[in-house]
Amino acid sequence: MVDTTASTPDANRRPTVAVLVPCYNEEAAIAKVVADFKAALPDATVYVYDNNSRDRTVEVARAAGAVVRTEPLQGKGNVVRRMFADIEADVYVMVDGDDTYHAASAPALVDRLVTEQLDMVNGARVTEIEAAYRPGHRFGNLLLTGLVTFIFGKRTNDMLSGYRVFSRRFVKSFPALAGGFETETELTVHALELRMPIAEVETPYKDRPPGSVSKLSTYKDGMRILWMITKLVKEERPMLFFGVAALLFALLSVILGIPIFVTFVETGLVPRLPTAVLATGLMILAFLSLTCGLILDTVTRGRREMKRLRYLEIPAPDFAPLGRG
């Protein structure tokens, strides 16, 4: 039996809203997060997904009034995959459980998504508190966001924000392949690749409460995000990825081969045979890389068309905004 409640647009019906909170050892913060979002979105259901916490996160979240579920596979990406698969709603608000994001901004973000029929509204972090947004994290975010927007298109200034609002058609068309903190990169590229209608709203950002410790490693997770960007370029922009490789191989081949060719023209001899073989091999690799790029570009186009068709099967958000009675 088809669930038409969550899939049929109705401009006179208020959207069902689910607040999704991935959690790992957030005993000190989770009660306030649940309380604040229940106050900001009184008709929403708050779901806390615990990811193998070793403290009292589950008990505290349940006592605060959240629906608590668990995901045994470690990593935020695994939790996001589980949440998106399990929860049925019209609008999804995803926020970290560390009490750093501004719950009072949630109604405005949801209304923006519903009113403009968007698929994602990103809560861009704004703060003057250095402890909340350390210089290393700020620089890394600027660097990685700049890299993604340069390749896939500039439509966001804070790609790594953990505060986002999604439409149902975004959530149910998102493949969710990442395992860790690189899931935010995957979310952004999914929206950019399908050219979804998205927006970004600046929201206040603050430091963690006492007793709450960040799980983000600046260098380790930064490298994982960079590796995810590389994989996404290979998968979504194969012509660019393999074209650059082909160009590098060809340039190296020419650099190594020109002196040998000049010597051969002048003397009729090839005194450095190993270098000549290497130059030839590099040029062959260049053409192989170019061929791979051409073939995979066609495959990627087919995949993108299939994802787009799946996305179009789900109606756009068309409901009465929260601010309208």
Side-chain angles (χ1 to χ4, degrees), residues 132-317:
Y133 203 3
R134 301 198 298 270
H137 290 178
R138 192 186 298 268
F139 173 76
N141 189 19
L142 288 173
L143 178 65
L144 295 170
T145 299
L147 181 59
V148 166
T149 56
F150 175 75
I151 297 171
F152 295 100
K154 183 172 177 57
R155 298 176 66 194
T156 179
N157 295 308
D158 188 4
M159 178 188 73
L160 302 182
S161 173
Y163 193 14
R164 304 178 189 227
V165 177
F166 304 104
S167 69
R168 176 181 173 81
R169 64 180 182 176
F170 182 107
V171 166
K172 297 306 179 181
S173 67
F174 178 61
L177 302 176
F181 283 107
E182 64 272 25
T183 188
E184 278 95 358
T185 304
E186 193 179 28
L187 288 163
T188 301
V189 171
H190 179 65
L192 296 178
E193 277 299 275
L194 292 187
R195 301 179 185 178
M196 294 180 180
I198 64 175
E200 187 169 74
V201 177
E202 292 187 346
T203 57
Y205 188 68
K206 61 181 180 179
D207 52 345
R208 288 169 169 268
S212 178
V213 180
S214 174
K215 288 77 182 176
L216 182 65
S217 170
T218 303
Y219 299 104
K220 179 182 176 182
D221 289 306
M223 291 304 297
R224 291 185 64 176
I225 293 168
L226 186 59
W227 178 242
M228 170 59 75
I229 294 172
T230 303
K231 290 196 296 184
L232 288 171
V233 172
K234 177 179 70 70
E235 294 166 5
E236 304 296 342
R237 294 284 194 276
M239 193 63 232
L240 172 64
F241 183 87
F242 289 99
V244 169
L247 180 62
L248 292 175
F249 285 136
L251 285 175
L252 189 55
S253 174
V254 170
I255 292 170
L256 292 174
I258 285 179
I260 298 173
F261 180 76
V262 171
T263 302
F264 175 75
V265 170
E266 293 175 347
T267 66
L269 301 174
V270 182
R272 291 176 291 171
L273 183 60
T275 304
V277 172
L278 176 60
T280 304
L282 288 171
M283 188 58 72
I284 291 173
L285 284 175
F287 279 98
L288 286 174
S289 293
L290 184 61
T291 303
C292 287
L294 290 169
I295 294 172
L296 291 175
D297 189 62
T298 303
V299 174
T300 298
R301 181 178 179 84
R303 288 176 50 248
R304 191 177 299 129
E305 289 174 351
M306 292 300 294
K307 287 195 291 186
R308 181 73 183 177
L309 290 174
R310 170 56 185 156
Y311 162 80
L312 291 174
E313 288 177 359
I314 305 167

Side-chain angles (χ1 to χ4, degrees), residues 37-180:
F37 275 90
K38 286 177 75 68
L41 299 168
D43 295 328
T45 303
V46 180
Y47 296 89
V48 171
Y49 271 72
D50 182 70
N51 195 206
N52 301 316
S53 294
R54 295 187 298 272
D55 60 7
R56 297 180 60 254
T57 296
V58 170
E59 293 88 342
V60 173
R62 187 172 287 123
V67 176
V68 180
R69 297 177 180 174
T70 60
E71 171 50 54
L73 288 177
Q74 196 66 41
K76 184 175 181 179
N78 293 318
V79 180
V80 170
R81 183 185 306 113
R82 180 68 177 275
M83 292 190 301
F84 282 8
D86 289 355
I87 306 303
E88 300 295 330
D90 298 317
V91 177
Y92 299 77
V93 179
M94 188 175 76
V95 65
D96 292 340
D98 54 11
D99 191 29
T100 56
Y101 292 99
H102 191 236
S105 298
L109 298 179
V110 173
D111 279 347
R112 178 79 180 270
L113 181 123
V114 172
T115 302
E116 299 182 20
Q117 290 192 315
L118 304 176
D119 288 306
M120 182 178 75
V121 178
N122 190 48
R125 293 167 287 184
V126 177
T127 184
E128 299 299 328
I129 306 173
E130 186 170 322
Y133 203 3
R134 301 198 298 270
H137 290 178
R138 192 186 298 268
F139 173 76
N141 189 19
L142 288 173
L143 178 65
L144 295 170
T145 299
L147 181 59
V148 166
T149 56
F150 175 75
I151 297 171
F152 295 100
K154 183 172 177 57
R155 298 176 66 194
T156 179
N157 295 308
D158 188 4
M159 178 188 73
L160 302 182
S161 173
Y163 193 14
R164 304 178 189 227
V165 177
F166 304 104
S167 69
R168 176 181 173 81
R169 64 180 182 176
F170 182 107
V171 166
K172 297 306 179 181
S173 67
F174 178 61
L177 302 176

